[in-house]
Amino acid sequence: MPRKKAGNNPEQDKGRKKKNKRFQSVRGMRDILPKEQPYWQKLRKVVEKIAIDYNYNRIDFPILEESELFERGTGKNTDIVDKEMYKFKTKGGANVCLRPEGTPSVVRSYLQHGMASQRKPVKLSYNGPMYRYDRPQEGRYREFFQFGFEAIGEQDAILDAQMIQMATRIFKSLKIKNVALHLNSIGCEECRPSYNKLLISYLNNRKKSLCMDCKRRLKSNPLRVLDCKEEKCTQVVGQAPQTVDHLCGDCKTHFTSLLEYLDEIQIVYSLRPQLVRGLDYYTKTVFEFFTEDDKGAQSALGGGGRYDNLVGILGGPETPGVGFACGMDRLVKVMQNSDTEPYLPPTPKVYLAQLGDAAKKKSLRVFEELNKSGVMIAESFGRGNLRSQLKQANKMNAEIVLIIGQREALDDSVILKDMNSGGQETMPAEKIVKEVRRRLKKNAEMIKKIARQKTQKKERDLVKKKKSKKTTKRKTPVKKNRKK
Ligand SMILES: [Zn+2]
Ligand SMILES: [Zn+2]
Protein backbone atom coordinates (compact mmCIF):
# COMPACT_ATOMS: atom_id res chain seq x y z
CA MET A 1 0.00 0.00 0.00
CA PRO A 2 1.40 3.42 -0.91
CA ARG A 3 2.16 5.61 2.05
CA LYS A 4 -0.26 8.45 2.70
CA LYS A 5 1.33 11.72 1.83
CA ALA A 6 2.17 13.77 4.88
CA GLY A 7 0.31 17.02 5.21
CA ASN A 8 -3.21 15.73 4.68
CA ASN A 9 -3.92 15.85 8.36
CA PRO A 10 -1.26 17.81 10.24
CA GLU A 11 -2.60 16.90 13.69
CA GLN A 12 -2.48 13.22 12.92
CA ASP A 13 1.02 13.54 11.44
CA LYS A 14 2.28 15.32 14.51
CA GLY A 15 0.93 12.57 16.73
CA ARG A 16 2.51 9.90 14.59
CA LYS A 17 5.84 11.66 14.61
CA LYS A 18 5.80 11.91 18.39
CA LYS A 19 4.94 8.26 18.73
CA ASN A 20 7.71 7.22 16.37
CA LYS A 21 10.32 9.38 18.02
CA ARG A 22 13.58 7.48 18.48
CA PHE A 23 15.38 8.71 21.54
CA GLN A 24 19.08 9.51 21.52
CA SER A 25 21.42 9.95 24.44
CA VAL A 26 21.81 13.59 25.50
CA ARG A 27 24.67 15.56 23.92
CA GLY A 28 27.99 14.79 25.59
CA MET A 29 26.62 11.61 27.19
CA ARG A 30 27.15 8.11 25.91
CA ASP A 31 26.40 4.45 26.47
CA ILE A 32 29.21 2.09 27.33
CA LEU A 33 28.18 -0.97 25.36
CA PRO A 34 28.84 -4.62 26.27
CA LYS A 35 31.68 -4.94 23.74
CA GLU A 36 33.64 -2.21 25.55
CA GLN A 37 32.94 -3.56 29.02
CA PRO A 38 35.81 -6.10 29.19
CA TYR A 39 38.26 -3.15 29.19
CA TRP A 40 36.28 -1.28 31.84
CA GLN A 41 36.08 -4.38 33.93
CA LYS A 42 39.80 -4.94 33.60
CA LEU A 43 40.48 -1.35 34.66
CA ARG A 44 38.14 -1.56 37.67
CA LYS A 45 39.68 -4.85 38.75
CA VAL A 46 43.22 -3.46 38.58
CA VAL A 47 42.20 -0.35 40.54
CA GLU A 48 40.36 -2.40 43.16
CA LYS A 49 43.36 -4.68 43.57
CA ILE A 50 45.67 -1.72 44.18
CA ALA A 51 43.19 -0.27 46.68
CA ILE A 52 43.25 -3.54 48.62
CA ASP A 53 47.04 -3.88 48.39
CA TYR A 54 47.61 -0.37 49.81
CA ASN A 55 44.75 -0.48 52.35
CA TYR A 56 42.43 2.06 50.80
CA ASN A 57 38.76 1.62 51.70
CA ARG A 58 36.06 2.08 49.12
CA ILE A 59 33.75 5.06 49.53
CA ASP A 60 30.71 6.07 47.45
CA PHE A 61 29.19 9.52 47.65
CA PRO A 62 26.19 11.12 45.94
CA ILE A 63 26.27 12.41 42.40
CA LEU A 64 24.33 15.44 43.58
CA GLU A 65 25.98 17.85 46.03
CA GLU A 66 25.55 21.44 47.16
CA SER A 67 27.12 23.75 44.58
CA GLU A 68 28.86 25.64 47.35
CA LEU A 69 30.93 22.57 48.23
CA PHE A 70 32.83 22.91 44.95
CA GLU A 71 32.71 26.71 44.84
CA ARG A 72 34.60 26.72 48.12
CA GLY A 73 36.56 23.49 47.74
CA THR A 74 37.62 23.39 44.11
CA GLY A 75 37.52 27.18 43.89
CA LYS A 76 35.24 29.77 42.31
CA ASN A 77 37.84 30.94 39.82
CA THR A 78 38.68 27.55 38.40
CA ASP A 79 37.40 26.50 34.98
CA ILE A 80 35.59 23.55 36.51
CA VAL A 81 33.44 25.69 38.79
CA ASP A 82 33.38 28.87 36.75
CA LYS A 83 32.46 27.39 33.38
CA GLU A 84 31.73 23.71 33.56
CA MET A 85 29.40 22.90 36.45
CA TYR A 86 25.98 21.35 35.92
CA LYS A 87 24.18 23.63 38.36
CA PHE A 88 20.48 23.91 39.05
CA LYS A 89 17.92 24.81 41.68
CA THR A 90 15.76 22.07 43.16
CA LYS A 91 12.00 22.48 43.71
CA GLY A 92 12.83 23.24 47.31
CA GLY A 93 15.16 26.05 46.24
CA ALA A 94 18.48 24.41 47.09
CA ASN A 95 21.45 25.19 44.83
CA VAL A 96 22.86 21.86 43.77
CA CYS A 97 25.16 20.50 41.08
CA LEU A 98 26.28 17.23 39.56
CA ARG A 99 29.67 16.48 41.09
CA PRO A 100 32.47 17.69 38.77
CA GLU A 101 35.19 15.85 40.73
CA GLY A 102 35.59 13.65 43.78
CA THR A 103 37.98 15.24 46.27
CA PRO A 104 35.68 17.87 47.89
CA SER A 105 32.96 15.21 48.27
CA VAL A 106 35.37 12.84 49.99
CA VAL A 107 36.46 15.56 52.39
CA ARG A 108 32.82 16.55 53.03
CA SER A 109 32.05 12.94 53.89
CA TYR A 110 35.18 12.69 56.05
CA LEU A 111 33.98 15.65 58.10
CA GLN A 112 30.29 14.74 58.12
CA HIS A 113 30.93 11.24 59.47
CA GLY A 114 33.58 12.13 62.02
CA MET A 115 36.33 10.16 60.28
CA ALA A 116 38.79 12.59 61.84
CA SER A 117 38.64 10.46 64.99
CA GLN A 118 39.92 7.41 63.09
CA ARG A 119 43.53 6.35 62.89
CA LYS A 120 45.30 8.61 60.41
CA PRO A 121 45.79 8.74 57.55
CA VAL A 122 42.25 7.87 56.57
CA LYS A 123 42.66 6.15 53.20
CA LEU A 124 39.74 6.19 50.80
CA SER A 125 39.19 5.20 47.19
CA TYR A 126 36.30 5.76 44.82
CA ASN A 127 35.27 5.37 41.24
CA GLY A 128 32.24 6.62 39.38
CA PRO A 129 30.80 9.21 37.00
CA MET A 130 31.62 12.92 37.16
CA TYR A 131 29.97 15.72 35.19
CA ARG A 132 31.35 18.77 33.45
CA TYR A 133 29.47 20.95 31.03
CA ASP A 134 32.46 21.23 28.73
CA ARG A 135 32.35 21.40 24.94
CA PRO A 136 32.14 17.74 23.93
CA GLN A 137 34.96 16.63 21.66
CA GLU A 138 36.48 13.41 20.45
CA GLY A 139 37.02 11.16 23.46
CA ARG A 140 35.74 13.75 25.91
CA TYR A 141 32.30 13.49 27.44
CA ARG A 142 30.16 15.55 29.77
CA GLU A 143 29.60 12.45 31.80
CA PHE A 144 32.96 10.80 32.35
CA PHE A 145 34.35 8.35 34.83
CA GLN A 146 37.11 8.79 37.34
CA PHE A 147 38.76 6.67 39.94
CA GLY A 148 40.59 8.34 42.77
CA PHE A 149 42.54 7.77 45.97
CA GLU A 150 42.68 10.12 48.94
CA ALA A 151 44.77 9.93 52.12
CA ILE A 152 43.68 12.42 54.77
CA GLY A 153 45.61 13.27 57.93
CA GLU A 154 49.28 12.79 57.11
CA GLN A 155 51.72 15.42 55.91
CA ASP A 156 54.81 13.27 55.37
CA ALA A 157 55.93 13.23 51.73
CA ILE A 158 55.99 9.46 51.88
CA LEU A 159 52.23 9.54 51.25
CA ASP A 160 52.80 11.68 48.13
CA ALA A 161 55.32 9.10 46.98
CA GLN A 162 52.90 6.30 47.70
CA MET A 163 50.21 7.96 45.57
CA ILE A 164 52.65 8.18 42.69
CA GLN A 165 53.74 4.60 43.26
CA MET A 166 50.14 3.37 43.17
CA ALA A 167 49.36 5.25 39.96
CA THR A 168 52.52 3.88 38.37
CA ARG A 169 51.59 0.35 39.36
CA ILE A 170 48.12 0.75 37.88
CA PHE A 171 49.55 1.91 34.54
CA LYS A 172 52.03 -0.96 34.59
CA SER A 173 49.34 -3.53 35.31
CA LEU A 174 47.36 -2.14 32.39
CA LYS A 175 50.47 -2.45 30.17
CA ILE A 176 50.36 1.24 29.28
CA LYS A 177 53.72 2.21 27.87
CA ASN A 178 55.67 5.47 27.66
CA VAL A 179 54.20 6.95 30.81
CA ALA A 180 55.86 10.18 31.92
CA LEU A 181 55.52 11.72 35.37
CA HIS A 182 55.54 15.51 35.58
CA LEU A 183 56.20 16.95 39.00
CA ASN A 184 56.26 20.31 40.73
CA SER A 185 55.81 21.94 44.12
CA ILE A 186 53.64 25.04 44.27
CA GLY A 187 54.32 25.96 47.87
CA CYS A 188 51.97 26.71 50.72
CA GLU A 189 50.12 29.57 52.39
CA GLU A 190 53.41 30.61 53.93
CA CYS A 191 55.47 31.00 50.77
CA ARG A 192 52.93 31.44 48.00
CA PRO A 193 51.83 35.04 48.69
CA SER A 194 55.35 36.39 48.22
CA TYR A 195 55.82 34.23 45.14
CA ASN A 196 52.48 35.44 43.76
CA LYS A 197 53.67 39.04 44.17
CA LEU A 198 56.79 38.26 42.17
CA LEU A 199 54.79 36.49 39.48
CA ILE A 200 52.20 39.25 39.22
CA SER A 201 54.82 41.95 38.83
CA TYR A 202 56.59 39.85 36.19
CA LEU A 203 53.34 39.23 34.30
CA ASN A 204 52.10 42.80 34.66
CA ASN A 205 55.11 43.98 32.70
CA ARG A 206 54.13 41.62 29.89
CA LYS A 207 50.38 41.94 30.19
CA LYS A 208 49.97 42.91 26.54
CA SER A 209 51.30 39.56 25.41
CA LEU A 210 48.81 37.52 27.46
CA CYS A 211 45.53 36.03 26.25
CA MET A 212 42.18 37.43 27.43
CA ASP A 213 41.68 34.64 29.97
CA CYS A 214 45.10 35.19 31.48
CA LYS A 215 44.58 38.93 31.79
CA ARG A 216 41.61 38.02 33.96
CA ARG A 217 43.54 35.29 35.80
CA LEU A 218 46.23 37.81 36.65
CA LYS A 219 43.79 39.25 39.17
CA SER A 220 41.87 36.16 40.28
CA ASN A 221 44.33 33.29 40.11
CA PRO A 222 47.79 34.29 38.79
CA LEU A 223 49.26 30.81 39.26
CA ARG A 224 46.93 29.57 36.54
CA VAL A 225 48.63 31.74 33.93
CA LEU A 226 51.54 29.31 34.23
CA ASP A 227 49.63 26.41 32.72
CA CYS A 228 47.75 28.33 30.01
CA LYS A 229 47.94 26.43 26.75
CA GLU A 230 47.80 29.53 24.50
CA GLU A 231 51.05 29.87 22.63
CA LYS A 232 51.58 33.54 23.38
CA CYS A 233 51.16 32.85 27.07
CA THR A 234 53.53 29.87 27.13
CA GLN A 235 56.19 32.15 25.63
CA VAL A 236 55.77 34.72 28.38
CA VAL A 237 55.66 32.07 31.07
CA GLY A 238 58.87 30.37 29.91
CA GLN A 239 60.99 33.01 31.66
CA ALA A 240 58.68 33.59 34.65
CA PRO A 241 59.93 33.05 38.21
CA GLN A 242 59.47 29.44 39.27
CA THR A 243 57.63 28.26 42.36
CA VAL A 244 60.37 25.80 43.34
CA ASP A 245 62.88 28.65 43.65
CA HIS A 246 60.69 30.45 46.18
CA LEU A 247 59.57 27.71 48.56
CA CYS A 248 59.67 28.22 52.31
CA GLY A 249 61.89 25.95 54.39
CA ASP A 250 59.08 23.53 55.17
CA CYS A 251 57.98 23.20 51.53
CA LYS A 252 61.56 22.80 50.38
CA THR A 253 62.25 19.97 52.82
CA HIS A 254 58.97 18.33 51.87
CA PHE A 255 59.74 18.45 48.17
CA THR A 256 63.30 17.22 48.63
CA SER A 257 62.18 14.26 50.66
CA LEU A 258 59.54 13.40 48.05
CA LEU A 259 62.26 13.33 45.39
CA GLU A 260 64.36 11.11 47.65
CA TYR A 261 61.47 8.69 48.13
CA LEU A 262 60.91 8.55 44.38
CA ASP A 263 64.60 7.87 43.77
CA GLU A 264 64.42 5.11 46.35
CA ILE A 265 61.56 3.36 44.53
CA GLN A 266 63.19 4.12 41.17
CA ILE A 267 60.39 6.19 39.74
CA VAL A 268 61.56 8.53 36.99
CA TYR A 269 60.11 12.05 37.07
CA SER A 270 60.60 15.23 35.18
CA LEU A 271 60.37 18.54 37.02
CA ARG A 272 57.87 20.91 35.41
CA PRO A 273 57.94 24.45 36.83
CA GLN A 274 54.78 25.32 34.88
CA LEU A 275 52.67 22.54 36.35
CA VAL A 276 50.07 24.00 38.76
CA ARG A 277 46.97 21.79 38.25
CA GLY A 278 44.57 24.73 38.22
CA LEU A 279 42.54 23.93 41.34
CA ASP A 280 42.55 26.18 44.37
CA TYR A 281 43.15 23.57 47.03
CA TYR A 282 46.54 22.25 45.95
CA THR A 283 49.55 22.94 48.14
CA LYS A 284 53.13 21.69 47.86
CA THR A 285 53.19 18.62 45.59
CA VAL A 286 51.39 18.54 42.25
CA PHE A 287 51.88 15.84 39.64
CA GLU A 288 50.47 14.59 36.35
CA PHE A 289 50.91 11.51 34.22
CA PHE A 290 51.09 11.49 30.45
CA THR A 291 51.45 8.79 27.86
CA GLU A 292 52.83 9.20 24.40
CA ASP A 293 51.66 7.16 21.43
CA ASP A 294 53.83 6.07 18.48
CA LYS A 295 53.13 9.31 16.66
CA GLY A 296 54.28 11.38 19.63
CA ALA A 297 50.82 12.61 20.59
CA GLN A 298 50.58 13.10 24.35
CA SER A 299 47.51 12.36 26.37
CA ALA A 300 46.99 13.08 30.04
CA LEU A 301 46.13 10.04 32.12
CA GLY A 302 45.50 11.76 35.43
CA GLY A 303 47.19 13.50 38.28
CA GLY A 304 46.90 14.80 41.76
CA GLY A 305 48.66 16.48 44.59
CA ARG A 306 48.61 17.60 48.17
CA TYR A 307 45.76 19.63 49.63
CA ASP A 308 46.77 20.60 53.15
CA ASN A 309 44.16 23.39 53.39
CA LEU A 310 41.08 21.71 51.97
CA VAL A 311 39.75 20.19 55.18
CA GLY A 312 40.11 23.60 56.80
CA ILE A 313 38.47 25.39 53.87
CA LEU A 314 35.47 23.07 54.19
CA GLY A 315 35.01 23.90 57.85
CA GLY A 316 37.09 21.22 59.54
CA PRO A 317 40.23 21.43 61.67
CA GLU A 318 43.44 22.03 59.68
CA THR A 319 44.28 18.59 58.33
CA PRO A 320 46.73 17.68 55.58
CA GLY A 321 45.74 15.46 52.68
CA VAL A 322 46.99 14.09 49.39
CA GLY A 323 45.37 12.27 46.49
CA PHE A 324 45.16 11.56 42.81
CA ALA A 325 42.52 10.77 40.22
CA CYS A 326 42.50 9.38 36.70
CA GLY A 327 40.02 9.66 33.85
CA MET A 328 38.80 6.16 33.09
CA ASP A 329 37.38 6.92 29.63
CA ARG A 330 40.80 8.06 28.47
CA LEU A 331 42.53 5.10 30.10
CA VAL A 332 40.19 2.65 28.37
CA LYS A 333 40.96 4.28 25.06
CA VAL A 334 44.69 4.01 25.68
CA MET A 335 44.26 0.40 26.83
CA GLN A 336 42.52 -0.46 23.58
CA ASN A 337 45.56 0.78 21.68
CA SER A 338 48.05 -0.99 23.97
CA ASP A 339 48.84 -4.63 24.68
CA THR A 340 46.33 -4.68 27.52
CA GLU A 341 44.36 -7.87 27.67
CA PRO A 342 40.73 -7.13 28.43
CA TYR A 343 39.04 -8.97 31.26
CA LEU A 344 37.32 -12.07 29.96
CA PRO A 345 34.73 -13.52 32.27
CA PRO A 346 34.71 -17.31 32.71
CA THR A 347 32.55 -18.93 30.05
CA PRO A 348 30.16 -21.81 30.65
CA LYS A 349 31.38 -25.23 29.61
CA VAL A 350 27.95 -26.83 29.75
CA TYR A 351 25.10 -26.18 27.36
CA LEU A 352 21.51 -27.10 28.14
CA ALA A 353 19.27 -27.85 25.15
CA GLN A 354 15.58 -28.71 25.22
CA LEU A 355 12.87 -29.83 22.85
CA GLY A 356 9.15 -29.35 23.47
CA ASP A 357 7.07 -27.64 26.13
CA ALA A 358 7.38 -30.28 28.85
CA ALA A 359 11.15 -30.33 28.41
CA LYS A 360 11.29 -26.57 28.59
CA LYS A 361 9.72 -26.65 32.04
CA LYS A 362 12.08 -29.37 33.20
CA SER A 363 15.10 -27.51 31.87
CA LEU A 364 14.44 -24.52 34.10
CA ARG A 365 14.79 -26.79 37.11
CA VAL A 366 17.88 -28.59 35.83
CA PHE A 367 19.49 -25.22 35.08
CA GLU A 368 18.94 -24.01 38.60
CA GLU A 369 20.19 -27.19 40.22
CA LEU A 370 23.41 -27.16 38.22
CA ASN A 371 23.90 -23.47 38.77
CA LYS A 372 23.40 -23.82 42.52
CA SER A 373 26.11 -26.46 42.62
CA GLY A 374 28.52 -23.98 41.03
CA VAL A 375 28.38 -25.14 37.41
CA MET A 376 28.02 -22.37 34.84
CA ILE A 377 25.58 -23.23 32.06
CA ALA A 378 24.54 -21.65 28.81
CA GLU A 379 21.11 -22.09 27.27
CA SER A 380 18.80 -20.51 24.76
CA PHE A 381 15.40 -21.21 26.20
CA GLY A 382 13.74 -19.11 23.55
CA ARG A 383 14.72 -21.52 20.81
CA GLY A 384 12.71 -24.66 20.06
CA ASN A 385 14.85 -26.06 17.27
CA LEU A 386 17.30 -28.64 18.61
CA ARG A 387 19.68 -28.35 15.69
CA SER A 388 20.15 -24.60 16.10
CA GLN A 389 20.73 -25.11 19.82
CA LEU A 390 23.43 -27.69 19.18
CA LYS A 391 25.01 -25.37 16.66
CA GLN A 392 25.27 -22.70 19.33
CA ALA A 393 26.74 -25.19 21.81
CA ASN A 394 29.40 -25.99 19.24
CA LYS A 395 30.09 -22.33 18.60
CA MET A 396 30.78 -21.64 22.26
CA ASN A 397 32.98 -24.72 22.60
CA ALA A 398 30.83 -26.43 25.19
CA GLU A 399 32.44 -29.51 26.73
CA ILE A 400 29.16 -31.08 27.73
CA VAL A 401 25.71 -30.73 26.19
CA LEU A 402 22.65 -31.78 28.16
CA ILE A 403 19.56 -32.53 26.11
CA ILE A 404 16.05 -32.85 27.46
CA GLY A 405 13.58 -34.06 24.84
CA GLN A 406 9.93 -35.03 25.14
CA ARG A 407 10.77 -38.55 26.23
CA GLU A 408 13.34 -37.45 28.80
CA ALA A 409 10.84 -34.96 30.18
CA LEU A 410 8.40 -37.80 30.67
CA ASP A 411 10.69 -40.23 32.47
CA ASP A 412 12.70 -37.53 34.25
CA SER A 413 16.01 -38.23 32.56
CA VAL A 414 18.64 -36.23 30.69
CA ILE A 415 20.85 -37.06 27.72
CA LEU A 416 24.46 -36.19 28.40
CA LYS A 417 26.61 -35.64 25.32
CA ASP A 418 30.36 -35.44 25.86
CA MET A 419 31.64 -33.11 23.14
CA ASN A 420 35.26 -34.24 23.51
CA SER A 421 34.63 -37.96 23.00
CA GLY A 422 31.41 -37.57 21.05
CA GLY A 423 29.75 -40.27 23.15
CA GLN A 424 26.38 -39.82 24.77
CA GLU A 425 24.26 -41.53 27.39
CA THR A 426 20.91 -41.10 29.08
CA MET A 427 20.79 -40.88 32.84
CA PRO A 428 18.27 -40.05 35.58
CA ALA A 429 17.92 -36.31 36.16
CA GLU A 430 18.87 -36.66 39.82
CA LYS A 431 22.34 -37.94 38.91
CA ILE A 432 23.12 -35.19 36.45
CA VAL A 433 24.73 -32.67 38.81
CA LYS A 434 27.20 -35.20 40.17
CA GLU A 435 28.06 -36.55 36.73
CA VAL A 436 28.56 -33.15 35.13
CA ARG A 437 30.84 -32.05 37.94
CA ARG A 438 32.86 -35.27 37.72
CA ARG A 439 33.41 -34.86 33.99
CA LEU A 440 34.26 -31.15 34.18
CA LYS A 441 36.83 -31.89 36.87
CA LYS A 442 38.37 -34.65 34.74
CA ASN A 443 38.54 -32.32 31.72
CA ALA A 444 40.12 -29.53 33.76
CA GLU A 445 42.80 -31.91 35.03
CA MET A 446 43.50 -33.05 31.50
CA ILE A 447 43.84 -29.46 30.27
CA LYS A 448 46.23 -28.70 33.13
CA LYS A 449 48.31 -31.75 32.28
CA ILE A 450 48.57 -30.75 28.63
CA ALA A 451 49.56 -27.20 29.59
CA ARG A 452 52.22 -28.56 31.95
CA GLN A 453 53.64 -30.78 29.24
CA LYS A 454 53.72 -27.85 26.84
CA THR A 455 55.68 -25.60 29.22
CA GLN A 456 58.06 -28.45 30.03
CA LYS A 457 58.72 -28.92 26.33
CA LYS A 458 59.25 -25.19 25.91
CA GLU A 459 61.77 -25.17 28.74
CA ARG A 460 63.61 -28.16 27.27
CA ASP A 461 63.75 -26.47 23.87
CA LEU A 462 65.07 -23.29 25.46
CA VAL A 463 67.86 -25.18 27.22
CA LYS A 464 68.77 -26.89 23.93
CA LYS A 465 68.85 -23.55 22.15
CA LYS A 466 71.10 -22.00 24.80
CA LYS A 467 73.46 -24.96 24.64
CA SER A 468 73.78 -24.76 20.87
CA LYS A 469 74.33 -21.00 21.09
CA LYS A 470 77.14 -21.49 23.57
CA THR A 471 78.90 -23.94 21.33
CA THR A 472 78.66 -21.64 18.29
CA LYS A 473 79.93 -18.73 20.36
CA ARG A 474 82.92 -20.74 21.42
CA LYS A 475 83.66 -21.76 17.88
CA THR A 476 83.85 -18.30 16.37
CA PRO A 477 86.81 -16.80 18.23
CA VAL A 478 88.78 -19.96 17.64
CA LYS A 479 88.26 -19.61 13.92
CA LYS A 480 89.33 -15.98 14.04
CA ASN A 481 92.48 -16.88 15.83
CA ARG A 482 93.32 -19.37 13.21
CA LYS A 483 92.94 -16.83 10.47
CA LYS A 484 95.39 -14.55 12.18
ZN1 LIG B 1 55.68 26.84 51.88
ZN1 LIG C 1 46.66 32.57 28.52
PDB file of all heavy atoms in Angstrom, residues 475-484:
ATOM      1  N   LYS A 475      82.971 -21.426  19.139  1.00  0.00           N
ATOM      2  CA  LYS A 475      83.664 -21.755  17.880  1.00  0.00           C
ATOM      3  C   LYS A 475      84.230 -20.516  17.197  1.00  0.00           C
ATOM      4  O   LYS A 475      85.342 -20.538  16.726  1.00  0.00           O
ATOM      5  CB  LYS A 475      82.688 -22.449  16.921  1.00  0.00           C
ATOM      6  CG  LYS A 475      82.738 -23.961  17.061  1.00  0.00           C
ATOM      7  CD  LYS A 475      81.738 -24.582  16.118  1.00  0.00           C
ATOM      8  CE  LYS A 475      81.521 -26.037  16.422  1.00  0.00           C
ATOM      9  NZ  LYS A 475      80.325 -26.541  15.740  1.00  0.00           N
ATOM     10  N   THR A 476      83.440 -19.444  17.163  1.00  0.00           N
ATOM     11  CA  THR A 476      83.847 -18.298  16.369  1.00  0.00           C
ATOM     12  C   THR A 476      85.221 -17.724  16.696  1.00  0.00           C
ATOM     13  O   THR A 476      86.039 -17.574  15.784  1.00  0.00           O
ATOM     14  CB  THR A 476      82.780 -17.179  16.409  1.00  0.00           C
ATOM     15  OG1 THR A 476      81.746 -17.589  17.279  1.00  0.00           O
ATOM     16  CG2 THR A 476      82.262 -16.835  15.072  1.00  0.00           C
ATOM     17  N   PRO A 477      85.502 -17.407  17.978  1.00  0.00           N
ATOM     18  CA  PRO A 477      86.814 -16.803  18.226  1.00  0.00           C
ATOM     19  C   PRO A 477      87.963 -17.721  17.838  1.00  0.00           C
ATOM     20  O   PRO A 477      89.008 -17.255  17.374  1.00  0.00           O
ATOM     21  CB  PRO A 477      86.817 -16.545  19.742  1.00  0.00           C
ATOM     22  CG  PRO A 477      85.609 -17.178  20.301  1.00  0.00           C
ATOM     23  CD  PRO A 477      84.714 -17.560  19.192  1.00  0.00           C
ATOM     24  N   VAL A 478      87.723 -19.018  18.006  1.00  0.00           N
ATOM     25  CA  VAL A 478      88.783 -19.964  17.639  1.00  0.00           C
ATOM     26  C   VAL A 478      89.124 -19.818  16.168  1.00  0.00           C
ATOM     27  O   VAL A 478      90.281 -19.714  15.777  1.00  0.00           O
ATOM     28  CB  VAL A 478      88.321 -21.411  17.958  1.00  0.00           C
ATOM     29  CG1 VAL A 478      89.361 -22.406  17.477  1.00  0.00           C
ATOM     30  CG2 VAL A 478      88.087 -21.549  19.458  1.00  0.00           C
ATOM     31  N   LYS A 479      88.059 -19.749  15.359  1.00  0.00           N
ATOM     32  CA  LYS A 479      88.261 -19.606  13.917  1.00  0.00           C
ATOM     33  C   LYS A 479      89.077 -18.357  13.600  1.00  0.00           C
ATOM     34  O   LYS A 479      89.999 -18.374  12.829  1.00  0.00           O
ATOM     35  CB  LYS A 479      86.904 -19.498  13.215  1.00  0.00           C
ATOM     36  CG  LYS A 479      86.446 -20.816  12.616  1.00  0.00           C
ATOM     37  CD  LYS A 479      85.160 -20.570  11.866  1.00  0.00           C
ATOM     38  CE  LYS A 479      84.510 -21.882  11.470  1.00  0.00           C
ATOM     39  NZ  LYS A 479      83.153 -21.656  10.972  1.00  0.00           N
ATOM     40  N   LYS A 480      88.662 -17.257  14.283  1.00  0.00           N
ATOM     41  CA  LYS A 480      89.328 -15.975  14.039  1.00  0.00           C
ATOM     42  C   LYS A 480      90.812 -16.085  14.326  1.00  0.00           C
ATOM     43  O   LYS A 480      91.644 -15.600  13.566  1.00  0.00           O
ATOM     44  CB  LYS A 480      88.706 -14.881  14.910  1.00  0.00           C
ATOM     45  CG  LYS A 480      87.591 -14.143  14.203  1.00  0.00           C
ATOM     46  CD  LYS A 480      87.097 -13.023  15.095  1.00  0.00           C
ATOM     47  CE  LYS A 480      85.866 -12.362  14.484  1.00  0.00           C
ATOM     48  NZ  LYS A 480      85.231 -11.459  15.425  1.00  0.00           N
ATOM     49  N   ASN A 481      91.076 -16.726  15.447  1.00  0.00           N
ATOM     50  CA  ASN A 481      92.482 -16.877  15.835  1.00  0.00           C
ATOM     51  C   ASN A 481      93.294 -17.587  14.770  1.00  0.00           C
ATOM     52  O   ASN A 481      94.424 -17.234  14.490  1.00  0.00           O
ATOM     53  CB  ASN A 481      92.572 -17.638  17.154  1.00  0.00           C
ATOM     54  CG  ASN A 481      92.189 -16.731  18.312  1.00  0.00           C
ATOM     55  OD1 ASN A 481      92.177 -15.505  18.141  1.00  0.00           O
ATOM     56  ND2 ASN A 481      91.845 -17.302  19.449  1.00  0.00           N
ATOM     57  N   ARG A 482      92.608 -18.596  14.243  1.00  0.00           N
ATOM     58  CA  ARG A 482      93.323 -19.372  13.214  1.00  0.00           C
ATOM     59  C   ARG A 482      93.675 -18.516  12.013  1.00  0.00           C
ATOM     60  O   ARG A 482      94.746 -18.601  11.469  1.00  0.00           O
ATOM     61  CB  ARG A 482      92.462 -20.530  12.760  1.00  0.00           C
ATOM     62  CG  ARG A 482      92.721 -21.756  13.610  1.00  0.00           C
ATOM     63  CD  ARG A 482      91.927 -22.913  13.069  1.00  0.00           C
ATOM     64  NE  ARG A 482      91.905 -23.977  14.050  1.00  0.00           N
ATOM     65  CZ  ARG A 482      91.071 -24.965  14.016  1.00  0.00           C
ATOM     66  NH1 ARG A 482      90.137 -25.021  13.065  1.00  0.00           N
ATOM     67  NH2 ARG A 482      91.114 -25.928  14.899  1.00  0.00           N
ATOM     68  N   LYS A 483      92.710 -17.675  11.651  1.00  0.00           N
ATOM     69  CA  LYS A 483      92.943 -16.831  10.475  1.00  0.00           C
ATOM     70  C   LYS A 483      94.167 -15.950  10.667  1.00  0.00           C
ATOM     71  O   LYS A 483      94.922 -15.690   9.762  1.00  0.00           O
ATOM     72  CB  LYS A 483      91.715 -15.973  10.207  1.00  0.00           C
ATOM     73  CG  LYS A 483      90.807 -16.607   9.160  1.00  0.00           C
ATOM     74  CD  LYS A 483      89.660 -15.697   8.850  1.00  0.00           C
ATOM     75  CE  LYS A 483      88.652 -16.394   7.944  1.00  0.00           C
ATOM     76  NZ  LYS A 483      87.457 -15.590   7.783  1.00  0.00           N
ATOM     77  N   LYS A 484      94.280 -15.450  11.903  1.00  0.00           N
ATOM     78  CA  LYS A 484      95.391 -14.551  12.184  1.00  0.00           C
ATOM     79  C   LYS A 484      96.683 -15.318  11.999  1.00  0.00           C
ATOM     80  O   LYS A 484      97.680 -14.838  11.580  1.00  0.00           O
ATOM     81  CB  LYS A 484      95.311 -14.057  13.618  1.00  0.00           C
ATOM     82  CG  LYS A 484      94.498 -12.768  13.714  1.00  0.00           C
ATOM     83  CD  LYS A 484      94.462 -12.308  15.156  1.00  0.00           C
ATOM     84  CE  LYS A 484      93.489 -11.177  15.319  1.00  0.00           C
ATOM     85  NZ  LYS A 484      93.302 -10.867  16.735  1.00  0.00           N
TER      86      LYS A 484
END
